[in-house]
Amino acid sequence: MLKNYFKIACRNLLRNRDFTLINIFGLAIGINACLIVYLWTSYEMSFDTFHPDRQRIYRVVTDIDNAGEIWKFAGVVDPLGPTMQKELTGLEAIAPFNLMNIDKVWIGNPFNPARKEDLWKEFKQESTKNGDFIAADASFFEVFKHPWLMGNPHIALKEPFQVVLTVQKAKKYFGNIPLDKMIGRVLTYVTSEDTITLKVSGIVEAWKQNSDFKFQDCISLATLYKMKNGENMKSWNGINSNSQLVVKLNKGTSPQQIQAQFPALFKKYDSEYVPRLQALFDVHFDADYSGHIRTAHKPTLYGLMAISGFLLIIAAINFINLTTAQSAQRAKEIGIRKVIGSTRRNLIIQFLCEALVLTTLAGILSLLTIEPVLWLFSDFVSEGVKNQLFTLEIGLFLIAMIGVTSLLSGFYPAWVLSSLLPVASLKNQTSQRGSRKSNLRKVLIVFQFTFAQVFIIGTIVVSAQIRYMLHKDLGFKKDAVITVATPWNDPLNRKKVLMEKLKQFPEVKMTSFSSSTPLGNSFASYTLEYKETGKKPIETNVFHKPGDENYIKLYEIKLLAGRNVRDSDTIREVMINETYVRTLGFRQPERAIGQFLWSGNRKFPIVGVVADFNIQPLHYQIRPMMIASENQYSYLINLKLHTKGKQTPDFQALISKIEKAYLSVFPETTFKYEFFEDELARMYNKEQKIAHLLSIATGIVIFISCIGLFGLVTYTVQQRTKEIGIRKVLGATIRQITVLLSYDFLKLVLISILIGSPIAYYFAQEWLHDFAYRMNPSWLIFVGAAFISILITLATVSIRAVRAAMRNPVESLRYE
C-alpha cells in the first residue's frame, strides 16, 4: 500500500512539473540555509569541548581601570604564572605561554647572506595564523593533553633553545625521514626582535578536534629569558597580550576562591592590574579578550538560526499556497477517490507522501549544492566548517529536517484537500474564496512580505552606514599613502637608512616615521595632569600617536594653533587635539599653547593644537589625544606618493622597488606593506560582511516570497476564470483585468509594509546605536523599500494576471 502511495505521488508531481520544480527549489533553499547554519553553529560550539576536565580549565585575563574606563586584555603580566605557582593555592596546574611572531624559519644554522645556498631552505610564515608559534614549558601539556610521539614531556622544554613540533610541521621541515632522526635537528627562527637557533627535542600529534590553543612549533619558555628582551619577562608593570596564562583548578575549587587571592598578590608586587578567570568554553565567544583568537559572536549565531528557521517556514508557506492553489485541478480526483471508498486518512497519507517525496528531492538538491553555497559564503564561514560536511551527524540532521519539513509543509494542504466533499468536488464547486482558509493564505503572504520588508530596509541601512563610514571626513587625507613596517627592535637604527633610500624614489612625495597610521589600531595612552595654580589638577587619560615632524604634513592634519613638533627620539614636546583643549577648560586653542602637561615628574610643553581627527573606528567618540615625536618607538614608514590628476604611479613596479630596497637593508626579515585605504576598509570588515550577508538573505527572502505570491495569484485566477471571461465579453481591457487581479495583492503588500517598517526601524536603531558617528535613517529609505516591495509585487502578479487577461473569453466561459 505504501509503495502505491509513493508511485501515485511521483505521477502527480511529474504531471505538475512547474509547481513541482518551484516547490523543490524553494524548499531546497530553506533546507540549505538550515544545513549551513547548523554546520556553522555546531562548528563554532565545538571548540575546546574535548579536553578532559575542561570544566576546571580557565584562562587568566586582565582588566585595567584606566581613568574610569575598563580596558580588557587577553594577556597577563609575565611573572604572574611562576608567582601563582609559588604563592597561590587551589591550582592543579599553571601553564604560562607566549605567542611568538615568527617572520622566517631556516633549516640549520642562522642565515648568512654570504651563503646564497641557504636561501632555498627558507620557510616564509606570512600565511600562518598567530598562535601557530608559542613558547611554553611542560605545564602546558599538563593542562592540554597531546599524544607524544618522540621525546620526554617532562624535560623536552626544560632547557633554553629547545623546540617541540607537531608531526605535521616536522614533516614539512624535514620531509618523510624517521621521527627519531628529527630529534636533535637544528632550526633557526627569525623574529622582529631576535634570531634564535633551537634543537628539536620532541614531536607530538596535533589535535584533530577544534581548539583555540593549537600550535605547530612550541619553543621552550626558558628561551625567552635568554633573548634580547628577556629582562622584561620579570616586570610587573606592563601587559603584553602575547603573554597568556591558563590554569587548571583542583577538584572542588571554585574560580571565586582563586580570584579572591589575586588582590593581595598584586598588592604585594605593587601592580595595579586586576586579573580574572575566564572559563574555557567562554574563550571562543568573548571578543573583549580575543587576543590572537578568532572569536565567534553568539548573538549572531542565534540570529542566523532564527533567519534560517524563518526561511524554512517561508518555503513551507509557499508549499502550502502552491498546493492549495491546485485544489481546483485535483478536486475531481479527490471526489472519485472518495466515491470508490478512499477514506480521509488514506488521502492525508497520500498527500503527505507527495510532500515527503518532494522534500526528499529538495534535501538531495540542497546537499548537492552545499559546497558551492559554502564557497559563496566563504567570507563568513571558517574553512573548518567544510570538514564537518559529510559526517553521520549531518546525515541524521538532514533526515530529521526532511521529516519535519514534510510534516510542516504537507499536513495543512493534506487536511484541506482531503476535506473536500465528493459531490462538490465532482460538480467543481470547491471555491473557497472569502473563506477562513483563503484568509489564512493571505495572512501567510503578509507574513512573508513583512519579513522581506524588514530585510530590504536592513540591507539599505547597513549599506548606507558603511558608505557613511568610508566617505566621512575623518580629519586627515588617506589617498596615495603606503605604509612599510620595519622591525621594531632595530639596535643599528637601519630604518633611517631605508628611509633615505625611499626618499630617492621619484614616485615618493614625502616620508614620515610613526608608530601607526592616524586610524591604525596601535596607540599608547598616558595619564597626564594639567596643573593650574590654585586649582585642582585635571587628570586625563590621553591617547598618544608617536609621529615625526612630517606626520601631520603627510596626512594633511590641520594645525589650528602653535607649531609642529620637532623630531626627537623621546618625548620632549606635544601637540594636542581640540577635544583635549576643551577638557583642559580652554575656549580657544591658542590659550593652550605654552602650557605644561605632567606625567609623574616629567613635564611636556604644549607647542601646537591640531583639529580633531578619528584615531579609532567610528564606533567610538573622539577622545583627548596628543602627537609627539618619539622616534625610538616609531617603526612604520609612511610614504606619500605623487599623483597628477587622476594618474597614479605604476603601483606594482613601485612595490617591487620598495621591496628590493627593504631587503637590501633588512635581508633577514619579511617585507610587509599596506595601502592606507585598504587598512581603513579592513577596519569595517565586520560591517561589510554583514551587508553582504544581508543582501544575499534579502534576495533569497524576496525570491521565496515571490514564489508564494505567484502561487496565490495562480489560485485566485483559477477561482475567477469565469468572472474574467464575463468581464472580457462585457468590454473589460487587459489592463483593467490586470489591475483588478493586482489590487487584492497590493493591499496585502501594503499591510506588510505598514507592519514591517516599524519593526525594521527598531532593529536599525538598535544596530546603529553601536556607532558614535552614524547616519540617520531618513524617510526616503522606508519609501524606497516600500517602492521596491510594490514593484516586486506588481512584476510577480503581472506575469500570471496578464496571461489570464489575454485568454480567449470563450475558453474561460467553457472552463470547468
Side-chain angles (χ1 to χ4, degrees), residues 95-102 129-137 140-141 144 146 157 162-165 169 189 196 198 207 212-221 223-224 242 244 292:
F97 67 97
N98 280 60
L99 305 173
M100 303 287 290
N101 295 311
I102 305 297
K129 298 176 182 176
N130 195 2
D132 285 349
F133 299 86
I134 67 169
D137 56 23
F140 185 84
F141 297 96
F144 298 119
H146 280 79
L157 294 170
Q162 293 179 314
V163 63
V164 171
L165 306 174
K169 196 62 174 291
Y189 293 73
I196 50 176
L198 310 171
W207 293 319
D212 289 314
F213 296 94
K214 284 184 176 180
F215 72 90
Q216 297 291 329
D217 303 51
C218 182
I219 300 166
S220 62
L221 195 60
T223 305
L224 298 191
N242 287 335
Q244 300 204 11
H292 71 291

Side-chain angles (χ1 to χ4, degrees), residues 529-803:
E529 283 189 339
Y530 169 66
K531 301 175 182 180
E532 190 175 0
T533 306
K535 293 184 180 181
K536 183 180 179 181
I538 299 174
E539 186 178 278
T540 311
N541 179 251
V542 182
F543 288 147
H544 171 40
K545 282 279 186 181
D548 65 11
E549 62 182 3
N550 281 340
Y551 189 66
I552 66 170
K553 298 176 186 176
L554 188 145
Y555 286 104
E556 299 182 42
I557 298 169
K558 189 175 181 182
L559 182 66
L560 299 179
R563 62 171 174 81
N564 196 356
V565 294
R566 297 188 178 97
D567 276 350
S568 173
D569 285 339
T570 58
I571 301 177
R572 297 183 181 275
E573 55 191 19
V574 301
M575 292 185 292
I576 64 175
N577 66 349
E578 294 174 275
T579 297
Y580 196 12
V581 169
R582 291 191 293 270
T583 302
L584 297 178
F586 299 112
R587 292 186 178 180
Q588 288 85 30
E590 294 80 6
R591 293 185 177 274
I593 305 301
Q595 303 297 324
F596 290 91
L597 301 174
W598 292 80
S599 175
N601 294 324
R602 298 179 65 195
K603 68 175 183 178
F604 311 114
I606 300 173
V607 299
V609 175
V610 297
D612 279 339
F613 63 93
N614 294 89
I615 67 169
Q616 291 177 288
L618 297 185
H619 302 74
Y620 305 98
Q621 293 279 359
I622 292 177
R623 301 280 302 279
M625 185 273 303
M626 70 177 188
I627 299 174
S629 180
E630 196 175 15
N631 287 341
Q632 64 175 329
Y633 297 124
S634 298
Y635 298 100
L636 193 72
I637 299 178
N638 306 270
L639 304 176
K640 180 75 171 182
L641 307 181
H642 281 291
T643 56
K644 298 179 181 179
K646 294 185 178 180
Q647 295 181 354
T648 56
D650 183 346
F651 287 122
Q652 195 59 45
L654 177 59
I655 295 301
S656 297
K657 287 172 62 177
I658 295 173
E659 182 178 15
K660 184 177 180 181
Y662 179 92
L663 293 176
S664 70
V665 179
F666 298 103
E668 77 282 5
T669 60
T670 302
F671 172 65
K672 297 176 182 177
Y673 77 96
E674 187 169 33
F675 286 93
F676 183 38
E677 287 184 315
D678 293 340
E679 182 184 351
L680 292 180
R682 190 181 67 251
M683 197 162 283
Y684 302 113
N685 189 40
K686 175 185 172 185
E687 286 71 29
Q688 290 175 326
K689 285 183 177 181
I690 290 174
H692 185 200
L693 190 63
L694 269 178
S695 62
I696 293 173
T698 301
I700 292 171
V701 170
I702 290 173
F703 178 77
I704 297 178
S705 299
C706 288
I707 292 175
L709 185 62
F710 182 83
L712 191 56
V713 173
T714 302
Y715 172 80
T716 302
V717 168
Q718 288 175 347
Q719 299 304 313
R720 302 178 69 174
T721 301
K722 286 190 177 181
E723 176 191 345
I724 293 169
I726 293 170
R727 287 181 179 275
K728 287 202 71 175
V729 169
L730 295 176
T733 63
I734 294 174
R735 177 176 171 275
Q736 289 172 329
I737 292 174
T738 302
V739 170
L740 176 70
L741 293 173
S742 302
Y743 178 71
D744 289 339
F745 302 107
L746 279 176
K747 286 194 298 184
L748 298 179
V749 174
L750 288 173
I751 292 171
S752 71
I753 291 171
L754 293 175
I755 297 172
S757 296
I759 297 172
Y761 178 79
Y762 170 78
F763 284 111
Q765 289 293 344
E766 285 294 306
W767 184 74
L768 289 170
H769 186 70
D770 290 337
F771 299 88
Y773 302 93
R774 54 184 178 267
M775 50 79 65
N776 292 315
S778 71
W779 60 272
L780 289 173
I781 289 177
F782 297 91
V783 171
F787 178 76
I788 291 172
S789 293
I790 291 170
L791 194 64
I792 291 170
T793 303
L794 288 174
T796 305
V797 173
S798 298
I799 292 173
R800 191 69 182 84
V802 169
R803 192 194 309 173

